Amino acid sequence: MQLRKVTAASAAVLALAITATACGSDKEDGGSGDSKKITIGIKIDQPGIGLKTPDGKYVGFDVDVATYVAKELGYDAKDIVFKETKSADRETAIERGDVKFIAASYSINDERLQKVDFAGPYLLAHQDILVRADDDSIKSPEDLNNKKLCSVTGSTSAKNVKDKLAPKAQLQTYGGYSECLTGLENKVIDALTTDDSILAGYASQANFQGKFKLAGFKMTNENYGIGLKKGDADLKKKVNDALTKMVSDGSWEKAVKANFGPANYKNEPAPKIGNIVK
């Protein structure tokens, strides 16, 4: 009887160990629940950057970058699980292991580097403004004084313009960028501001092509990086190697033109890995 009790106890311990190991392997691939798959954080509501289409597909520059990197890490497109990561949730998703990495218009800055690591940068964007294609009245940021500038709830971009460049700008708060674009189209507002890559993505949509233009003011530098768990030097090197290859084989330029081209986005050349432009 004693022998059977010991054997049963040992079996229970072994089962727990196997379960723990299996859970650990899921986390290694971003918590997808399948060690053959990889979970990647993206935006799903930014045309040109990361967008989930009505038929359930994911498209955009960040999606193309993430897919290329995943392939270099050994995953086919069918093995990728895309997970929406809103701006406020990105660091938490990485720290918890909900995702393997994040490619979501994720600007590298000192505050974020306290919590996560970054590979890249893979795109140098700038804060800019979008205006109607036939509006030539705004030739510099200062010309936004007394103009109606769209501010998306929770965004600091428009506030930065008002605080530093055009103190008399009239901020108009909207719930999202699509609403700002509608207001811009209907002449309810005069300009919309955020990263030029995001503006180009919206302006490239079929229903907006030819209606808007970017001013090209380059008011800030935004170095987009791929967010990783802090201290994972091996993964960081592999992702950086993948990004370097994406640039060298022409895939990076192809993705830029495909996602931003219709807006005549004058993108910066592909940044060198580790070169953070202040």
Side-chain angles (χ1 to χ4, degrees), residues 40-43 46-51 58-69 82 101 103-106 121-125 196-198 200-201 204 222-226 243 246-247 250-261 265 267-271:
I40 301 172
I42 59 166
K43 292 290 184 68
Q46 289 184 345
I49 298 289
L51 181 70
Y58 297 91
V59 296
F61 181 69
D62 281 351
V63 174
D64 291 344
V65 170
T67 301
Y68 188 99
V69 169
F82 285 117
F101 63 79
S105 55
Y106 202 2
Y122 63 88
L123 183 72
L124 174 58
D196 54 7
S197 58
I198 296 174
S204 293
E222 306 295 337
N223 298 274
Y224 287 4
I226 291 184
L243 293 173
M246 186 178 185
V247 172
S251 298
W252 184 90
E253 187 68 25
K254 182 179 178 181
V256 168
K257 298 305 180 188
N259 292 291
F260 305 127
Y265 175 47
N267 63 282
E268 297 281 3

Side-chain angles (χ1 to χ4, degrees), residues 97-139:
D98 294 342
V99 296
K100 186 73 169 180
F101 63 79
I102 289 178
S105 55
Y106 202 2
S107 296
I108 303 170
N109 62 37
D110 292 338
E111 181 181 352
R112 289 168 180 163
L113 282 168
Q114 299 298 313
K115 298 180 179 179
V116 300
D117 281 343
F118 284 95
Y122 63 88
L123 183 72
L124 174 58
H126 306 282
Q127 186 180 340
D128 200 357
I129 68 165
L130 194 72
V131 296
R132 289 181 293 277
D134 60 355
D135 186 356
D136 296 319
S137 67
I138 304 175
K139 295 182 171 61

Side-chain angles (χ1 to χ4, degrees), residues 145-167:
N145 281 309
N146 300 313
K147 297 283 189 179
K148 294 177 181 177
L149 180 64
C150 189
S151 172
V152 173
T153 304
S155 170
T156 59
S157 297
K159 186 176 184 301
N160 289 341
V161 172
K162 184 174 177 65
D163 290 348
K164 301 174 183 178
L165 300 169

Side-chain angles (χ1 to χ4, degrees), residues 24-43:
S25 66
D26 290 348
K27 284 296 182 184
E28 287 175 6
D29 288 300
S32 64
D34 185 342
S35 60
K36 295 180 180 179
K37 293 188 177 295
I38 182 171
T39 303
I40 301 172
I42 59 166
K43 292 290 184 68

